[in-house]
């Protein structure tokens, strides 16, 4: 039984993430998508919102489940007896960053192996941070995220606009 975990912020989930999940689910017997909650990061969506979006997106994929991790990813993998940590790579920039993280994780836990999966070409430029920025200006991101995420972004930024109006009164 080959089990792997795919951790990330997923703030929000994109078609790039879904592509990695679908391809990995064909390779591994079980894939655990870990929604990470790091108190040092500022998220647009709460952990509960990111988990419920991800659960809806993987619904129907029998060997994929979603979990929350509020601590170190390698500790979570050790507890769950998952030996493989999967990360997606869009290009050289990602690889440099991911390589460093994988070395840090190796220093923390020698038994967990990081494996990289390259993105499919059409998802190279898709990243959550850029999507949030475009959506915050009312830009159309529907080609980059699943419809439920596109709607959630619209609601989130509409609510923020109302908040701003309230505070400026
Ligand atoms: P983090 O906040 O942990 O960097 P993200 O939520 O941005 O995580 O991404 C989670 C994982 O998905 C990372 O390994 C990231 O490189 C990968 N990823 C993000 N976008 C894409 C994409 N378009 N194609 C392939 N992998 C991606």
């Amino acid at each position: 039984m080959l089990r792997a975990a795919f951790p990330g912020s997923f703030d929000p989930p994109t078609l790039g993430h879904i592509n990695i999940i679908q391809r990995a689910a064909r390779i591994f017997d079980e894939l655990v998508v870990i929604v990470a909650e790091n108190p040092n990061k500022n998220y647009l969506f709460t952990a509960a919102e990111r988990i419920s979006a991800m659960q809806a997106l993987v619904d129907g994929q029998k060997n994929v489940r979603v979990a929350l991790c509020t601590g170190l990813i390698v500790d979570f993998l050790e507890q769950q007896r998952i030996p493989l940590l999967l990360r997606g790579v869009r290009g050289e920039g990602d690889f440099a960053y991911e390589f460093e993280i994988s070395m840090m994780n190796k220093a923390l836990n020698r038994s967990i192996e990081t494996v990289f999966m390259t993105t499919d070409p059409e998802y190279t430029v898709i990243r959550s941070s850029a999507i949030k920025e475009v959506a915050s200006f009312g830009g159309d991101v529907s080609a980059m995220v699943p419809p439920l995420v596109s709607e959630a972004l619209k609601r989130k930024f509409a609510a923020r606009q109302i908040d701003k109006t309230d505070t400026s009164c």
Side-chain angles (χ1 to χ4, degrees):
M1 174 97 172
L2 194 54
R3 302 172 73 213
F6 180 46
S9 302
F10 306 116
D11 185 40
T14 69
L15 294 181
H17 295 133
I18 300 304
N19 171 256
I20 295 283
I21 293 168
Q22 286 173 343
R23 287 160 61 214
R26 291 200 288 269
I27 297 171
F28 302 109
D29 297 305
E30 187 188 31
L31 182 70
V32 181
V33 178
I34 300 177
V35 173
E37 175 74 348
N38 176 349
N40 301 308
K41 280 194 180 179
N42 278 322
Y43 300 101
L44 176 63
F45 292 97
T46 64
E49 288 171 330
R50 288 177 283 132
I51 286 179
S52 98
M54 194 51 100
Q55 270 166 344
L57 294 170
V58 303
D59 191 37
Q61 293 188 70
K62 288 200 173 67
N63 61 338
V64 182
R65 68 181 170 91
V66 181
L68 168 71
C69 177
T70 55
L72 282 174
I73 298 293
V74 285
D75 290 349
F76 183 94
L77 267 70
E78 174 93 42
Q79 283 154 16
Q80 302 263 323
R81 295 168 193 267
I82 301 172
L84 296 177
L85 196 166
L86 173 69
R87 295 286 286 178
V89 176
R90 282 162 292 202
E92 275 177 51
D94 269 0
F95 183 73
Y97 171 74
E98 295 292 345
F99 182 80
E100 258 188 47
I101 303 229
S102 73
M103 290 300 110
M104 176 61 81
N105 283 331
K106 259 281 149 150
L108 292 169
N109 189 324
R110 195 89 198 168
S111 67
I112 307 247
E113 301 294 351
T114 299
V115 289
F116 298 124
M117 181 179 272
T118 51
T119 188
D120 270 344
E122 58 270 45
Y123 305 105
T124 318
V125 296
I126 298 183
R127 62 185 62 238
S128 298
S129 54
I131 284 168
K132 282 183 282 193
E133 194 164 347
V134 171
S136 75
F137 290 110
D140 180 13
V141 293
S142 58
M144 295 168 237
V145 294
L148 75 88
V149 172
S150 187
E151 291 309 311
L153 281 164
K154 278 186 205 151
R155 281 196 304 274
K156 186 65 84 175
F157 286 114
R160 289 199 155 191
Q161 214 53 48
I162 290 165
D163 285 353
K164 264 194 211 155
T165 317
D166 283 351
T167 52
S168 61
C169 283

